[in-house]
Amino acid sequence: MGIRLEQITLREIGMPLVHFFETSFGRTTERRIVLVEVQSGGVSGWGEVTAGENPFYNEEWTESAWLILRDFVAPRVLRHDFASASDVAARSAHIRGHLMARGGLEAAVWDLEARMLGKPLYQHIGQGAQGAAHREIPCGVSIGIQDSVPQLLQKIEAELAAGYQRIKMKIKPGWDVDVIREVRRRFPDILLMADANSAYTLADAPLLQRLDEFNLMMIEQPLAHDEIIDHAKLQAQLKTPICLDECIRSAHQAEQAIAMDAGRIINIKLGRVGGFAEAKRVHDVAQSAGIPVWCGGMLEAGIGRAHNIALATLPNFTLPGDVSASKRYWARDIIHPPVEVTSQGTIAVRDEPGFGYELDREFLDSITVRRESVI
Ligand code: OSB
Ligand code: MG
């Protein structure tokens, strides 16, 4: 079919979270999100950049994403003839890093292509050898660091009552072993895991070994954001499987990490690996090696959430992920209907063309703080 982009519009929206979200690297109360609209032949595709407000999860943030897209990515992809969306990422591969910015645009082109074909996005990304396996996505929740243990226990209880299948809690030095012990005492049998967002070093191996007694499904990214070798050294000392997040930015790194047993589970985030084409490759590499994956989240608004749902339909997404209901984050989401979760803790995949939800344009315009088109 071929795709030639005629216009790219960047839009920054401001959205307060219904509850602060705290990780080992900081607390977020309000999101600043860059949306990307790509246009071709009267059809629009939409993507969401998953960078945070500060360069603390990785090197990217709202402002860097805007500039990278406007000044470096847009000029490369406008009026270029792409055979398909799967070729878009390579066109900005000369840019070092900034995968979330590049991935936001790449995902928009996949959405555009799906709409041009009149297909739902999940079918479009899954049309290869394997195709979509899941019409319902198993969901977990990620619960940030709270001000007190009772507050955490209360949150966990509410999420379990809502049906969520597994609980992920954020940890950091000083909010780890003792807190997890309390959670396990109160909820002995739930599927539980912990995410450290790179808050420890190998010198903390004795402390991390103490987590083995709590029967965690996994511990996510305990060590440095760019470190694979130390994770292999740590995994050799732990019974609990390590799940890699920050340090997997490509299928090649996934292959290397798996080969050295640096982790036994991979969290795939669309933005972190630069879009759908690479996310699919990470998925395939893990699947061939017998490593299960799940879909991570970055506090996305509705477009990013919908893209995550499409990604999580691929067959090796066998574990409950971090994609959850819109209302956990937003008083009002930018899509209609908002993402909803069943009492079984699943999200039903929708069959509308593209990412599957309607944009609430009136609301979107009301929260847009800047907009710029590149032609
Ligand atoms: O490490 O998975 C993470 C949020 C912001 C930055 C990093 C992470 C997270 C989450 C939230 O855990 C997942 C979600 O969107 O619900
Ligand atoms: Mg994580």
Side-chain angles (χ1 to χ4, degrees):
M1 176 176 58
I3 302 166
R4 193 179 165 93
L5 303 180
E6 291 138 12
Q7 177 166 300
I8 295 171
T9 303
L10 304 178
R11 193 193 265 262
E12 181 185 330
I13 55 173
M15 293 176 83
L17 290 167
V18 296
H19 185 270
F20 68 80
F21 190 84
E22 186 171 325
T23 67
S24 62
F25 57 78
R27 186 178 278 201
T28 306
T29 54
E30 180 163 359
R31 300 276 350 262
R32 293 176 59 200
I33 299 173
V34 177
L35 301 178
V36 187
E37 180 182 3
V38 295
Q39 285 170 282
S40 178
V43 184
S44 278
W46 289 81
E48 178 173 332
V49 176
T50 61
E53 291 65 45
N54 307 104
F56 300 160
Y57 168 84
N58 62 11
E59 81 286 358
E60 299 189 73
W61 83 106
T62 312
E63 203 68 34
S64 69
W66 185 279
L67 296 177
I68 284 284
L69 283 165
R70 188 191 68 187
D71 296 347
F72 294 97
V73 183
R76 284 283 292 179
V77 299
L78 278 166
R79 287 174 306 285
H80 180 81
D81 289 309
F82 289 107
S84 71
S86 56
D87 297 335
V88 171
R91 204 53 203 158
S92 67
H94 61 297
I95 298 170
R96 304 282 188 235
H98 300 284
L99 288 160
M100 290 174 163
R102 291 155 56 195
L105 183 133
E106 198 254 19
V109 182
W110 279 92
D111 179 52
L112 170 74
E113 187 171 53
R115 287 171 197 271
M116 289 165 76
L117 294 165
K119 277 203 222 169
L121 180 61
Y122 82 91
Q123 279 178 18
H124 186 45
I125 65 157
Q127 73 185 353
Q130 312 191 311
H134 312 298
R135 296 300 321 277
E136 250 179 272
I137 305 302
C139 306
V141 286
S142 175
I143 303 184
I145 293 162
Q146 304 296 314
D147 288 329
S148 70
V149 173
Q151 199 177 359
L152 174 64
L153 296 175
Q154 198 188 327
K155 286 219 152 218
I156 295 175
E157 186 155 18
E159 302 296 10
L160 293 170
Y164 286 102
Q165 298 181 12
R166 74 97 168 96
I167 301 292
K168 158 168 145 184
M169 55 183 283
K170 294 288 189 178
I171 57 170
K172 65 174 181 182
W175 182 271
D176 46 36
V177 179
D178 294 341
V179 181
I180 295 176
R181 182 178 296 109
E182 291 299 313
V183 172
R184 260 302 178 227
R185 183 176 301 161
R186 175 77 173 276
F187 305 103
D189 302 320
I190 61 169
L191 296 181
L192 180 66
M193 60 173 289
D195 184 1
N197 289 106
S198 304
Y200 300 91
T201 71
L202 255 193
D204 297 309
L207 180 140
L208 295 168
Q209 279 174 324
R210 291 171 61 202
L211 300 180
D212 276 343
E213 71 172 280
F214 300 120
N215 187 32
L216 301 179
M217 292 176 85
M218 65 195 92
I219 172 166
E220 184 177 345
Q221 195 76 28
L223 308 181
H225 70 99
D226 54 355
E227 183 60 68
I228 290 174
I229 295 170
D230 277 358
H231 279 104
K233 291 180 180 163
L234 180 64
Q235 182 68 84
Q237 303 175 57
L238 294 184
K239 288 207 279 288
T240 308
I242 291 175
C243 170
L244 297 174
D245 175 356
E246 281 90 330
C247 66
I248 303 299
R249 293 167 169 240
S250 67
H252 181 64
Q253 286 173 330
E255 247 176 325
Q256 291 179 317
I258 291 167
M260 60 175 71
D261 193 27
R264 296 178 181 163
I265 297 168
I266 295 176
N267 164 346
I268 301 185
K269 288 181 180 165
L270 192 53
R272 194 195 67 221
V273 302
F276 278 108
E278 196 66 17
K280 275 152 48 90
R281 284 191 281 268
V282 176
H283 166 275
D284 293 351
V285 157
Q287 185 169 40
S288 323
I291 297 286
V293 304
W294 51 274
C295 186
M298 289 297 292
L299 314 178
E300 287 91 345
I303 296 172
R305 215 160 276 279
H307 283 186
N308 288 342
I309 293 165
L311 180 62
T313 63
L314 295 177
N316 195 36
F317 282 86
T318 52
L319 297 170
D322 277 350
V323 186
S324 58
S326 298
K327 70 175 181 201
R328 294 190 61 250
Y329 300 90
W330 317 117
R332 181 172 172 186
D333 203 343
I334 58 173
I335 53 166
H336 191 79
V339 173
E340 276 162 354
V341 168
T342 67
S343 56
Q344 276 68 249
T346 62
I347 294 172
V349 181
R350 292 164 58 86
D351 271 314
E352 283 75 3
F355 65 70
Y357 295 78
E358 286 295 324
L359 275 176
D360 184 344
R361 286 176 186 271
E362 201 183 319
F363 180 55
L364 200 54
D365 285 344
S366 75
I367 58 173
T368 296
V369 297
R370 58 172 162 166
R371 183 197 322 230
E372 190 170 342
S373 290
V374 191
I375 49 171

